[in-house]
């Protein structure tokens, strides 16, 4: 099993541009989530999905997600802002509240 | 979900046991204590979790006090590769995970 994979590893965006961060898992996990991690800080939950076809957000606008199938949970930055410069971490677990498995992260810089 | 309090940083000598404390005084009866660690520039990695009994696996031991208001993660023989940020979180069954800033453990030769 590859576990949780994320692409790209690094990316630089200009303010106002849009981008989709990819996340996939091959463990047949129902629950997937996105966190952002600012330098020297802990993880902050952005969006989560309890199952394919459902999503819930934790933070205000600026992000969109979709969960069309069990495996993939892409995160879209609609119109990037410098405040969205961060490391984005994707995680999955069998169900909400269970042990989470994290991807390696995407380091995003918005200029 | 209950919040946790951890020291900002700790040092440990290589080969010695590392004891990382966590306070979760407002924990509810259905909340588990989870520990993860994050080595620099990697995603967090699960270590261990427990409800009220002490737990041990190949990585670490978890000691939870009888009143469940605090816990200690023990790495029995710390190595340089154990240098990381350690997160203690409490999670309700089917609940969301809230990560704090964790404890930065530095293992020194």
């Amino acid at each position: 099993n590859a576990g949780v994979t994320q692409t790209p590893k690094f990316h630089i965006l200009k303010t106002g541009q849009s981008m989709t961060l990819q996340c996939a898992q091959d463990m047949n996990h129902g629950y997937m989530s996105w966190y952002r991690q600012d330098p020297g800080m802990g993880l902050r939950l952005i969006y989560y999905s309890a199952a394919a076809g459902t999503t819930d957000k934790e933070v205000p606008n600026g992000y969109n997600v979709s969960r069309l199938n069990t495996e993939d949970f892409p995160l879209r930055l609609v119109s990037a802002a410098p405040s969205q410069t961060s490391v984005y971490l994707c995680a999955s677990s069998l169900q909400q509240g269970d042990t989470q498995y994290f991807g390696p992260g995407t380091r995003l810089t918005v200029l | 979900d209950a919040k946790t309090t951890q020291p900002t940083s700790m040092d440990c000598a290589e080969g010695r046991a590392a004891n990382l404390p966590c306070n979760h005084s407002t924990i509810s009866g259905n909340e588990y204590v989870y520990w993860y660690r994050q080595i620099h520039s990697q995603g967090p990695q699960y270590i261990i979790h427990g409800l009220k009994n002490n737990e041990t696996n190949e990585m670490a031991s978890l000691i939870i006090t009888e009143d469940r208001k605090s816990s200690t993660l023990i790495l029995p023989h710390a190595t340089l590769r154990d240098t990381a940020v350690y997160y203690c979180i409490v999670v309700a069954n089917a609940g969301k995970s809230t990560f704090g800033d964790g404890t930065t453990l530095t293992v020194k030769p």
Side-chain angles (χ1 to χ4, degrees):
Chain A
N1 285 356
V4 180
T5 57
Q6 291 185 242
T7 55
K9 283 188 167 46
F10 306 92
H11 198 78
I12 299 176
L13 272 179
K14 293 183 179 177
T15 297
Q17 289 183 326
S18 62
M19 174 176 188
T20 299
L21 310 185
Q22 301 293 341
C23 174
Q25 53 92 8
D26 62 358
M27 297 174 282
N28 202 30
H29 283 171
Y31 183 79
M32 296 186 74
S33 54
W34 277 101
Y35 296 84
R36 61 175 285 175
Q37 184 173 33
D38 298 333
M41 308 286 284
L43 284 67
R44 182 159 55 126
L45 184 63
I46 304 174
Y47 257 107
Y48 62 96
S49 166
T54 71
T55 62
D56 274 293
K57 67 178 177 182
E58 280 291 295
V59 298
N61 300 329
Y63 304 96
N64 268 330
V65 295
S66 60
R67 185 89 184 274
L68 301 181
N69 56 50
T70 300
E71 296 79 21
D72 300 296
F73 191 41
L75 176 72
R76 181 166 177 80
L77 280 71
V78 178
S79 176
S83 60
Q84 293 177 306
T85 293
S86 191
V87 175
Y88 290 85
L89 292 157
C90 179
S92 76
S93 60
L94 200 57
Q95 60 183 22
Q96 190 170 356
D98 283 344
T99 300
Q100 292 190 81
Y101 297 86
F102 285 83
T106 294
R107 187 174 299 272
L108 182 69
T109 302
V110 183
L111 302 176
Chain B
D1 291 333
K3 290 195 187 300
T4 61
T5 304
Q6 299 178 253
T8 303
S9 63
M10 294 181 64
D11 290 342
C12 177
E14 189 178 19
R16 298 288 191 131
N19 295 280
L20 291 88
C22 179
N23 183 289
H24 31 80
S25 57
T26 60
I27 193 169
S28 301
N30 68 340
E31 289 182 315
Y32 288 77
V33 179
Y34 272 82
W35 283 83
Y36 291 83
R37 74 179 183 185
Q38 186 174 26
I39 295 169
H40 185 61
S41 297
Q42 297 181 22
Q45 174 193 25
Y46 165 78
I47 302 173
I48 198 167
H49 75 283
L51 185 62
K52 53 184 178 182
N53 296 325
N54 297 339
E55 302 287 344
T56 295
N57 62 20
E58 64 278 3
M59 288 182 70
S61 294
L62 174 60
I63 308 297
I64 302 174
T65 57
E66 197 167 334
D67 63 7
R68 302 212 319 125
K69 293 185 177 183
S70 66
S71 61
T72 301
L73 178 75
I74 300 172
L75 308 178
H77 305 287
T79 71
L80 299 179
R81 284 176 293 185
D82 291 322
T83 291
V85 179
Y86 287 77
Y87 296 100
C88 165
I89 64 173
V90 289
V91 186
N93 205 14
K96 289 176 278 187
S97 300
T98 302
F99 286 77
D101 293 338
T103 296
T104 299
L105 175 69
T106 304
V107 180
K108 299 187 173 181

